[in-house]
Amino acid sequence: MAVERVLSGMRPTGNLHLGHYNGVLKNWLRLQHEHECFFFVADWHALTTHYDTPEIIEESVWEMVIDWLAAGVDPSSATVFIQSKVPEHAELNTLLSMITPLSWLERVPTYKDQQEKLSGKDLATYGFLGYPLLQSADILMYKATQVPVGEDQIPHIELTREIARRFNHIYGKEAGFEDKAKEAIKKLGKKRAKLYEEMRNSHQESGDDEALESARAMIEEQQNLSMGDKERLLGYLEGGGKIILLEPEYKLTPASKMPGLDGQKMSKSYNNTISLRESPDDVTKKIRTMPTDPARVRRTDPGDPVNCPVWQLHEIYSDDSVQDWVQTGCKSGGIGCIECKQPVIDGVLKELKPMQERAVQYTEDPSLVKNIVAEGNEKARKVARETMRDVRDAMGLGYS
Ligand code: TRP
Ligand code: SF4
């Protein structure tokens, strides 16, 4: 299989909590060992909605990177960087804006949804309308094949795919493309050339996606082909011109099943979170004061875990025997709620402990974090510079 490149970003708008950890971050941790990963702080995206509170962004950028590192993001296998420190994103955003129909942006569902949801803020800005295009620039810059995102972000990835297609369609044409593609096929050698033609036909005549995938993989593996020839062969497979920008796939982040302190989904806007660096005392306090089944007025009143948010946490943090103990004790009135909450407190503290220990070195010495990010910025810029060279050339801006 061709090498996958994963890219994902997060807006720095506050502390990360257990919901982020159990949804997004655990997913990142897995991916960083399987693929080449780029994880970045989307600070410009944060400004689209928080333009009037820049101080929150500034602080959250570093706190968020510390949370990532504490959770186990490993800078020796993933590239961690900050969007605004790779100004090529802004250049690509500008260039892509030239070919982006206004209607494509206006019909992205988050545009109207968020304006309604955040009605206290004036989001009728150019920057906010352009939010998904900036995201497309983030993704296309790295020729990412996979973008792990939550469900709400799928339209943004679809927009990205459409923009890549439009870009390749407009700028992927070069004089004598067919001839050049045919020359490139010869370079594959007889056997592979035949296979390529067969798979190309199969895809173009009957829309065989598997043939397309295998042909792509075969091309990616060729060591003796120039980048230009690879792009021609990839483009020729689908009938069009050169593929300059790659259409990404989205990879749905497994939904975080993390319930908050009130039984609703854990989310900052519900004020029901436990943050990754919450002190043990505060964790204890927060769980001790959680609401329970209202039927249990006195300690001896029987209750039912289905009516209790604490039970939802037991489902995550407790093993079968503890869960049995809760079920029996709650329904018979045999255990008290404070008693019942203790294993949950222990479970949360146990999950947070290694993260909080890892965070200490970074909070004590912020230069560690700055160095990791500086290195990541440089790595990201190297890729970004290459993409921009191709994009500028394609758009007739290759002169100097
Ligand atoms: N819009 C994303 C979010 O709110 C953040 C983001 C910005 C992003 N650029 C991206 C995610 C590129 C993935 C890829 O979650
Ligand atoms: Fe909830 Fe446990 Fe109290 Fe039952 S005993 S109401 S499950 S906290």
Side-chain angles (χ1 to χ4, degrees):
M1 205 175 63
V3 184
E4 299 278 359
R5 184 179 277 171
V6 174
L7 172 114
S8 201
M10 225 189 261
R11 285 173 303 146
T13 53
N15 285 338
L16 298 191
H17 52 65
L18 281 172
H20 295 111
Y21 178 68
N22 281 293
V24 183
L25 288 175
K26 275 191 181 162
N27 199 34
W28 285 13
L29 299 183
R30 191 172 47 74
L31 289 167
Q32 70 180 349
H33 298 301
E34 296 170 356
H35 305 299
E36 183 183 13
C37 286
F38 288 80
F39 299 132
F40 75 99
V41 181
D43 53 350
W44 283 336
H45 278 104
L47 270 178
T48 63
T49 51
H50 289 62
Y51 53 81
D52 53 355
T53 48
E55 62 287 349
I56 295 184
I57 298 175
E58 188 167 11
E59 187 185 308
S60 304
V61 166
W62 300 107
E63 293 302 308
M64 189 166 81
V65 175
I66 293 177
D67 282 340
W68 290 357
L69 297 169
V73 168
D74 176 1
S76 70
S77 60
T79 303
V80 173
F81 70 97
I82 297 177
Q83 184 184 39
S84 66
K85 297 297 173 254
V86 186
E88 284 80 0
H89 289 228
E91 186 183 354
L92 186 55
N93 180 58
T94 299
L95 294 183
L96 293 177
S97 77
M98 307 303 169
I99 62 161
T100 304
L102 210 46
S103 60
W104 289 13
L105 294 174
E106 285 163 340
R107 71 165 193 236
V108 172
T110 45
Y111 180 54
K112 293 241 159 57
D113 290 355
Q114 290 293 99
Q115 278 188 344
E116 275 165 31
K117 221 172 123 200
L118 305 174
S119 57
K121 232 172 236 172
D122 180 5
L123 291 183
T125 59
Y126 176 53
F128 188 68
L129 177 66
Y131 184 112
L133 182 64
L134 180 58
Q135 184 163 351
S136 299
D138 298 336
I139 296 168
L140 297 173
M141 185 72 85
Y142 299 92
K143 305 196 190 275
T145 57
Q146 284 192 19
V147 186
V149 286
E151 201 154 12
D152 62 316
Q153 298 288 308
I154 292 175
H156 296 178
I157 312 302
E158 274 161 359
L159 175 80
T160 306
R161 294 170 60 87
E162 283 176 81
I163 296 203
R165 232 175 285 146
R166 185 167 166 87
F167 186 96
N168 293 330
H169 180 74
I170 298 176
Y171 301 110
K173 294 195 194 82
E174 55 180 348
F177 175 74
E178 286 255 345
D179 292 341
K180 285 184 184 164
K182 285 184 178 146
E183 278 306 307
I185 295 176
K186 284 192 196 140
K187 293 181 194 161
L188 289 171
K190 260 210 179 103
K191 224 170 98 194
R192 286 204 198 86
K194 186 159 169 265
L195 204 61
Y196 176 90
E197 298 276 19
E198 281 168 8
M199 291 191 284
R200 176 172 184 267
N201 286 340
S202 171
H203 170 62
Q204 293 200 350
E205 281 161 22
S206 49
D208 183 345
D209 286 339
E210 239 168 77
L212 180 64
E213 276 311 308
S214 324
R216 278 187 185 149
M218 181 177 86
I219 294 160
E220 296 287 355
E221 278 165 16
Q222 299 310 303
Q223 313 252 328
N224 63 330
L225 289 178
S226 67
M227 270 308 275
D229 275 342
K230 277 192 188 178
E231 285 163 357
R232 283 179 196 106
L233 289 177
L234 290 171
Y236 192 58
L237 269 181
E238 296 181 74
K242 249 164 108 165
I243 303 275
I244 300 164
L245 297 177
L246 202 75
E247 280 181 51
E249 308 276 346
Y250 61 81
K251 197 169 172 32
L252 204 55
T253 303
S256 168
K257 286 189 248 38
M258 192 69 213
L261 294 164
D262 55 359
Q264 299 185 79
K265 177 180 139 89
M266 187 177 281
S267 158
K268 196 173 65 173
S269 45
Y270 297 144
N271 210 353
N272 63 359
T273 62
I274 294 177
S275 71
L276 297 188
R277 282 182 280 148
E278 194 96 47
S279 73
D281 277 352
D282 287 345
V283 170
T284 307
K285 230 177 280 161
K286 280 188 167 179
I287 297 176
R288 286 234 174 102
T289 52
M290 276 177 73
T292 60
D293 180 353
R296 301 208 63 193
V297 182
R298 271 161 308 206
R299 188 187 174 296
T300 47
D301 291 337
D304 192 336
V306 290
N307 301 324
C308 178
V310 178
W311 169 248
Q312 296 185 41
L313 292 177
H314 274 295
E315 290 188 301
I316 293 182
Y317 291 103
S318 300
D319 60 21
D320 287 350
S321 74
V322 174
Q323 291 188 7
D324 286 346
W325 170 78
V326 173
Q327 286 289 342
T328 318
C330 182
K331 287 175 179 162
S332 65
I335 58 171
C337 290
I338 291 287
E339 210 182 336
C340 177
K341 286 171 172 177
Q342 193 57 44
V344 169
I345 295 172
D346 296 341
V348 171
L349 291 179
K350 191 169 158 214
E351 180 162 78
L352 292 181
K353 190 162 182 256
M355 290 191 241
Q356 301 194 345
E357 283 171 358
R358 255 193 305 257
V360 172
Q361 52 176 322
Y362 299 117
T363 49
E364 281 181 353
D365 183 2
S367 73
L368 286 177
V369 187
K370 302 238 163 165
N371 287 338
I372 287 169
V373 171
E375 212 173 287
N377 291 342
E378 256 329 293
K379 270 202 227 158
R381 274 199 94 169
K382 215 169 144 234
V383 179
R385 282 195 200 103
E386 277 172 28
T387 302
M388 286 319 298
R389 202 176 310 132
D390 292 349
V391 169
R392 282 188 216 114
D393 283 350
M395 293 183 80
L397 300 168
Y399 41 80
S400 53

